[in-house]
Amino acid sequence: MTIDTQPATLDALGQPGAVESFRVGDPVEVKSLLKSLMDRSVTINLNGSDGSAYSTTLWTVDAAQGKIAFAADLMAPAVHRLVEADEAVAVGYLDQIKLQFDVADRMLVHGRQHCVLQAAMPRELFRFQRRNAFRVRTLERSAPTARFRHPSIPDMMLELRVLDVSVGGCALFMPSDMPMFEPGVNINDCTLELDAGTLLRGTLMVHHVTSIQPHARGVRLGCELLHLDPDARRMLQRYIDQTQKRRRMLSLD
């Protein structure tokens, strides 16, 4: 199951019992929330345990048959990878609420004009408050990077681009040609070098893997920052404030 970051109080998933307060198990409420996603044509990110990702919408919600279906492009390789993946999860937003649920029993169903990715109606879903902490896009000219050893391949050193950062989390770009790792894993001894004067060391917990664009050739890793000492957090806050000011100045040029 993949989980998105939720600053200012991050989801706290991974802490014993923390998930239960976000769980929705009432069948009527589950159906209502799914129908809201469908009726409003909310973009749904489907993420497979193998790192595959596909953005789509809910096509049908059939509680009587215990089935849901997502719009699908038969020619999209990601769709076929999702069918073959061991597990998959769906994430979508209703205003400031993030909804997340497992997508089980996946199969492609072909119609005369359309193709859908059919799945079992989820028995439960998780509802989270969307982040409210300020998140800033990093400045590419400062080449912000995260350096760490691959959690599953200790001999492999990775250096990934930092896409954005907040006081509680960050997003990294993971190229598709690199060995993917499971959401929920901890990345220990990670070094974040955001610019020449901002060097942070700590632990990242990977909460979700989502697609960015069809031609991005990689995915976005949403991470929670753990074990930063007070001095490091103050340094990070200064970086966020300065980056925000620089972006404002660049927009005026």
Side-chain angles (χ1 to χ4, degrees):
M1 182 172 65
T2 56
I3 308 295
D4 196 2
T5 51
Q6 303 291 319
T9 55
L10 296 174
D11 285 348
L13 298 175
Q15 298 180 11
V19 171
E20 295 305 315
S21 61
F22 303 105
R23 191 187 304 272
V24 178
D26 179 70
V28 175
E29 191 172 3
V30 169
K31 177 184 175 182
S32 176
L33 290 169
L34 290 174
K35 284 187 64 66
S36 293
L37 290 172
M38 179 184 69
D39 294 341
R40 294 166 61 173
S41 298
V42 172
T43 298
I44 306 290
N45 288 317
L46 301 178
N47 304 290
S49 56
D50 61 347
S52 55
Y54 185 69
S55 294
T56 182
T57 56
L58 259 176
W59 185 266
T60 59
V61 175
D62 188 344
Q65 297 295 321
K67 301 289 184 183
I68 59 174
F70 301 90
D73 180 356
L74 182 61
M75 303 305 293
V79 171
H80 295 275
R81 291 199 297 269
L82 280 165
V83 172
E84 298 297 328
D86 291 335
E87 297 178 342
V89 71
V91 175
Y93 288 95
L94 285 174
D95 300 321
Q96 295 301 310
I97 303 299
K98 186 185 93 168
L99 301 177
Q100 176 176 302
F101 52 92
D102 290 333
V103 184
D105 301 333
R106 301 170 303 282
M107 64 180 295
L108 283 174
V109 178
H110 305 263
R112 291 184 178 180
Q113 297 180 328
H114 302 284
C115 173
V116 297
L117 177 62
Q118 183 176 280
M121 181 93 169
R123 296 180 179 179
E124 61 184 17
L125 50 77
F126 296 89
R127 179 170 52 195
F128 308 101
Q129 185 69 33
R130 201 170 188 180
R131 69 168 64 97
N132 52 28
F134 182 75
R135 181 171 289 259
V136 66
R137 284 190 301 117
T138 55
L139 297 171
E140 292 187 11
R141 64 186 181 188
S142 62
T145 57
R147 291 193 297 275
F148 55 88
R149 295 189 180 278
H150 194 290
S152 303
I153 313 173
D155 292 337
M156 178 180 289
M157 181 64 74
L158 299 180
E159 186 169 317
L160 304 184
R161 180 160 58 94
V162 180
L163 300 174
D164 59 50
V165 66
S166 76
V167 292
C170 66
L172 310 178
F173 178 75
M174 182 78 166
S176 55
D177 60 353
M178 290 186 177
M180 191 58 63
F181 38 84
E182 294 287 336
V185 71
N186 278 0
I187 300 171
N188 299 311
D189 300 321
C190 176
T191 299
L192 289 174
E193 187 172 357
L194 301 178
D195 60 20
T198 310
L199 187 69
L200 310 172
R201 290 184 175 87
T203 298
L204 297 180
M205 176 185 284
V206 180
H207 282 296
H208 75 106
V209 180
T210 55
S211 58
I212 302 176
Q213 312 174 354
H215 306 295
R217 297 184 179 180
V219 294
R220 182 182 187 275
L221 305 181
C223 304
E224 179 182 354
L225 279 167
L226 304 175
H227 310 316
L228 285 184
D229 60 44
D231 288 340
R233 290 197 178 276
R234 283 192 289 270
M235 184 185 301
L236 178 57
Q237 186 62 66
R238 283 197 300 271
Y239 170 82
I240 292 171
D241 293 342
Q242 292 170 1
T243 301
Q244 183 184 15
K245 291 176 183 176
R246 288 171 187 162
R247 285 205 168 277
R248 235 186 247 126
M249 292 175 63
L250 288 172
S251 67
L252 296 175
D253 288 343

